[in-house]
Amino acid sequence: MNGNDFTFVLDGENIRFEPGQTIMEAATQAGIYIPHLCYHADYRPRGSCKLCTVKINGRFGSACTMPVQPGMQIDNDTDELTAMRRRLVQMLFVEGNHYCPHCEKSGNCQLQAVAYHVGMTDSHYPHFYPLRQLDASHPDMLLDRDRCIACELCVRASLESDGKAVFGLAGRGSRTRVVVNSESGLLGDSDFSADDVAARICPTGALIPKREAYLRPIGARQYDLRDIAHNAPPDPPSPEQMP
Amino acid sequence: MQAVDYRQINRILDEHRRDPLRLVQILVRIQHDYGGCPPAVRDYIAKAVNVPQAQVHGVVEFYHFLSPERLGDYRIYLSDNITDRMLGNERIMAVLQQDLQVRRGQPRADGRVHLDYTSCTGLCDQGPALLVNGRPITRLTPALAGEIAERINAAEPLDAWPAHWFQVEESLRLAGPVLAARSEPGRALQAAFQQGPERLLKEIDRSGLRGRGGAGFRTALKWRVSRDAPGKAHYVVCNADEGEPGTFKDRTLLTRFADEVFEGMTLGAYVIGAEQGFLYLRAEYGWLYPHLVAVLARRRAEHLLGHQILGHDFNFDIDIHLGAGAYVAGEESALIESLEGQRAVPRTRPPYTATHGYLHQPTICNNVETFVKTTLIARNGADWFLASGTRHSPGTKLLSVSGDVARPGIYEYPFGVSVQTILDACGATDTQAVQVGGPSGTCITPLEFGRAISFEDLSTGGSFMVFNRSRDMLAVVQNFTHFFAGESCGFCTPCRVGTQLLRQSIDKIMAGHASARELADIAETASTIRSMSHCGLGQTCANPLLDTLQRMRPLYESRLTSLDFVPGFDLDGALAPARELSRRDDAAAHLGQRCDELGCIVNSEGAGARR
Ligand SMILES: Cc1cc2nc3c(=O)[nH]c(=O)nc-3n(C[C@H](O)[C@H](O)[C@H](O)COP(=O)(O)O)c2cc1C
Ligand code: SF4
Ligand code: SF4
Ligand code: FES
């Protein structure tokens, strides 16, 4: 291997990369899916959901934040990692209140889709049933914290794309939660708009537009048709694109 | 309670130059003066320092000792390390609740008194201990607790309480070269100026000094990387967060050897080319703040800090930042977030602190003891340092010994000392187990007492807790597991959720509701948490469970139910709100979550009825 050899090995396959890319970026460019929830190509990686954990030269690390080095040996799609990712997704499910059968986001939800991808068939852990505040004060948007996985994508999108800082994270540990930048703490009193990029970024049903829930029937939605691994881009379609 | 005075708040803001980087410092002060940071004040501060309201909100809710409600004139936090438990802190809590007519974690009806537990306050050698408005009272007895309550009920200000109540003892039990040496302030600096920064760094390198905070990273290597890294400015940070339960040796060093600590920081600045340093002092040691400020002032007057130190072309000064109650803030990148006025959430690495630390500039972050050792190496040379310790762990280590021992306190030993030697010296008898390195460290049983304290064998940041045979080791595990659940910062999924799951598991085991399946499950969950967590907290939070499952499995097995399955859902717990509403807490209002031979849940004893 010489200094110009920008390749690494992912699940036994030689992959080219551009210097400075993270493992996630290089894999995505090569058409390889690494499960993720808090990562979004448009924003600084945060590295918190840990779903993208891979084995890098035998040690665990986050694909979305780790820069690729030439010659790296990376395991991604292995039984060991899938089993651990299944436990992680189960943790996310029991931590919040996720009632998929009556959730508007069902079928378009990345959490649900990743759960299918890693073969989750039950919740395994006891549910926490936390009490979390629902915020329906905004005329066009709903913030249902029951479904929030604290990925901080809304925070980043509002800050970096909308230049607004509508959201922030507060609390510590299991009480970590999204808070809104307004004196009352209510979304309706903030400068949030349904046209914001942040309004379309939430991977789950926590931050969703009102009155769009059933425009497309369950069964015909994004991840109902295809596994999340073969489903780029991950953003749910906007109303204009809907049939 | 004092009314909120915005002129006073403006003064506080001005003292901190309305600098958003000082947000945590501002809020610590407001909490101290008003007993809380209510929403109106929070929003006022957000506007004044020009940060989003959500950031101030986030910070207030993150740290244990900041609160959105005003907690009253007397804010009492009872230390809840396992050593405090063993010394009877639950009795103290009971007396305080009774005499003060207050319930733990809930403000008293008149809003004047707040009482709660908190993680280890670093006073384990003289527990049970508490902090009242940040001031420590140690060696509590039920009688003393009663007297405290009396004075609070009489609304007597703290300054009128007997001064000796607030005395903290420093028990130096065994002095090695650090504790025995008294160095004249400035001697190490003079030696350094004679050598120049490069030779000083080589000398530290030759000494083989490794970080005393626990991880044992080569100090010289860290300093060199930082020195060579380009940046607008370089910074020195001293980690005085000392949050690992059972550790209190930095408390002693800050009390007795503050000059050596600051001199070590100054040496670091000289080597890497820094002009600004920070000492991050854990909130629980806030009572040391006046003393440390006085030492800094004296050192400035002696030209050991400030402009043109000892007449050389070298400027450096140190600022003390207070923590606000968060174990995770001891993790160096989380500490830096806190220094920048944020929630103490560990950063993503790479890049590392040495190149991208404070304000993303090159920064060295070292433990208190590491800086003291640097001072001694600069003064006495590497050979002196290399004369003790082992090949891979040269020098000595300060140990904070507590628990079931006759003589708790600080012991200085060369690395390589055996656990048994320490146990003999501190008067431990009938020892069942030793927790080396705190909850995140290792729990060992007598079979392993021949093992050595060193980075290559039993690594420790200084915590050494001893348990004799009368102790229930699972209660120890439960205490530690609850500690981690309370301290997880919540950033990453495996630790945020996993620490709660482990807490549920140990509680279920202690309640006698766990089945054999639970034990297998713990190991699997633990390995997910350990492998996938973002920082050392998550990576080590399962250690207490895993160590004891491995070494003391019969203890667990004796508590299992014979059934193969007990539901994880806590029916009795789910009834708590109903009990609260109906103001009932009698036996019949509880469900014992046990199944009969048919798998039906039966009521607890006394309740009788079958479901
Ligand atoms: C959760 C957590 C808490 C920590 N707490 C402390 C602490 O209280 N004091 C300390 O010196 N290091 C602590 N550390 C280690 C620091 O991250 C860092 O390694 C250390 O300050 C480096 O200094 P040293 O090289 O001089 O040991 C902690 C690490 C973790 C993961
Ligand atoms: S509301 Fe959605 S985008 Fe925002 S943190 Fe929660 S899950 Fe992530
Ligand atoms: S391991 Fe725990 S403490 Fe560390 S970043 Fe993750 S949630 Fe925070
Ligand atoms: S996608 Fe990498 S940690 Fe969330």
Side-chain angles (χ1 to χ4, degrees), chain B residues 328 345-346 487-492 495-496 533-539:
Chain B
V328 70
V345 172
E487 296 294 344
S488 166
C489 81
F491 173 78
C492 70
C495 171
R496 183 181 68 239
S533 284
H534 182 67
C535 85
L537 193 155
Q539 287 154 13

Side-chain angles (χ1 to χ4, degrees), chain B residues 175-238:
Chain B
V178 171
L179 296 181
R182 287 294 3 211
S183 99
E184 211 179 293
R187 283 257 320 267
L189 268 172
Q190 275 159 356
F193 286 138
Q194 273 165 21
Q195 300 175 60
E198 185 55 42
R199 268 185 55 208
L200 173 61
L201 184 55
K202 286 216 172 92
E203 194 67 4
I204 296 168
D205 194 15
R206 203 165 63 80
S207 77
L209 175 63
R210 297 174 66 173
R212 291 328 199 224
F217 199 79
R218 287 281 291 246
T219 305
L221 185 58
K222 203 185 251 189
W223 289 20
R224 180 163 307 280
V225 170
S226 187
R227 173 181 161 85
D228 293 344
K232 285 196 279 266
H234 287 56
Y235 297 95
V236 175
V237 174
C238 176

Side-chain angles (χ1 to χ4, degrees), chain A residues 26-214:
Chain A
T28 310
Q29 186 176 287
I32 295 168
Y33 173 72
I34 300 178
H36 58 267
L37 282 170
C38 71
Y39 168 78
H40 188 292
D42 294 349
Y43 302 103
R44 272 177 300 116
R46 172 169 144 96
S48 65
C49 75
K50 296 300 172 199
L51 220 70
C52 70
T53 304
V54 290
K55 248 185 172 168
I56 306 161
N57 298 332
R59 298 183 58 183
F60 294 99
S62 308
C64 69
T65 56
M66 187 62 77
V68 189
Q69 303 289 335
M72 264 185 176
Q73 297 277 341
I74 294 164
D75 295 335
N76 169 43
D77 193 4
T78 64
D79 290 347
E80 181 195 25
L81 284 166
T82 301
M84 289 168 76
R85 288 172 183 155
R86 195 180 306 134
R87 289 287 176 258
L88 269 192
V89 177
Q90 284 163 328
M91 285 183 189
L92 286 170
F93 267 92
V94 302
E95 179 195 28
N97 295 305
H98 298 275
Y99 301 102
C100 298
H102 69 235
C103 175
E104 304 90 309
K105 189 82 171 210
S106 188
N108 287 328
C109 170
Q110 289 181 46
L111 177 63
Q112 187 190 49
V114 166
Y116 281 129
H117 179 79
V118 297
M120 171 177 152
T121 52
D122 68 350
S123 52
H124 186 74
Y125 298 115
H127 284 270
F128 292 5
Y129 298 117
L131 277 177
R132 294 186 183 169
Q133 204 190 11
L134 175 85
D135 183 345
S137 61
H138 195 279
D140 305 315
M141 296 292 300
L142 180 73
L143 176 59
D144 184 349
R145 292 186 177 86
D146 275 348
R147 306 164 182 166
C148 174
I149 56 169
C151 70
E152 219 189 27
L153 270 171
C154 56
V155 181
R156 286 178 278 168
S158 180
L159 208 64
E160 294 175 28
S161 299
D162 305 324
K164 281 193 182 175
V166 172
F167 303 98
L169 287 189
R172 189 190 54 246
S174 57
R175 291 187 314 278
T176 302
R177 65 185 213 285
V178 166
V179 292
V180 173
N181 237 336
S182 67
E183 227 141 280
S184 62
L186 292 173
L187 202 53
D189 294 333
S190 74
D191 54 354
F192 193 46
S193 146
D195 300 326
D196 288 357
V197 176
R200 304 273 156 187
I201 204 82
C202 183
T204 74
L207 185 58
I208 48 167
K210 292 180 173 174
R211 298 177 295 277
E212 288 181 13
Y214 299 103

Side-chain angles (χ1 to χ4, degrees), chain B residues 11 64 88 153 287 338 347 355 374 380 447 521 550 573 597:
Chain B
R11 269 196 295 277
H64 289 292
N153 288 334
W287 50 275
S338 185
R347 290 178 176 173
T355 57
T374 321
N380 302 327
L447 275 175
D521 228 49
Q550 191 194 349
E597 56 288 354

Side-chain angles (χ1 to χ4, degrees), chain B residues 210-217 219 222 239-244 250 327-333 365-368 370 535-537:
Chain B
R210 297 174 66 173
R212 291 328 199 224
F217 199 79
T219 305
K222 203 185 251 189
N239 188 340
D241 199 51
E242 191 154 67
E244 190 70 40
D250 291 344
Y327 165 65
V328 70
E331 196 282 336
E332 63 181 38
S333 65
C365 174
N366 285 105
N367 176 255
V368 172
T370 311
C535 85
L537 193 155

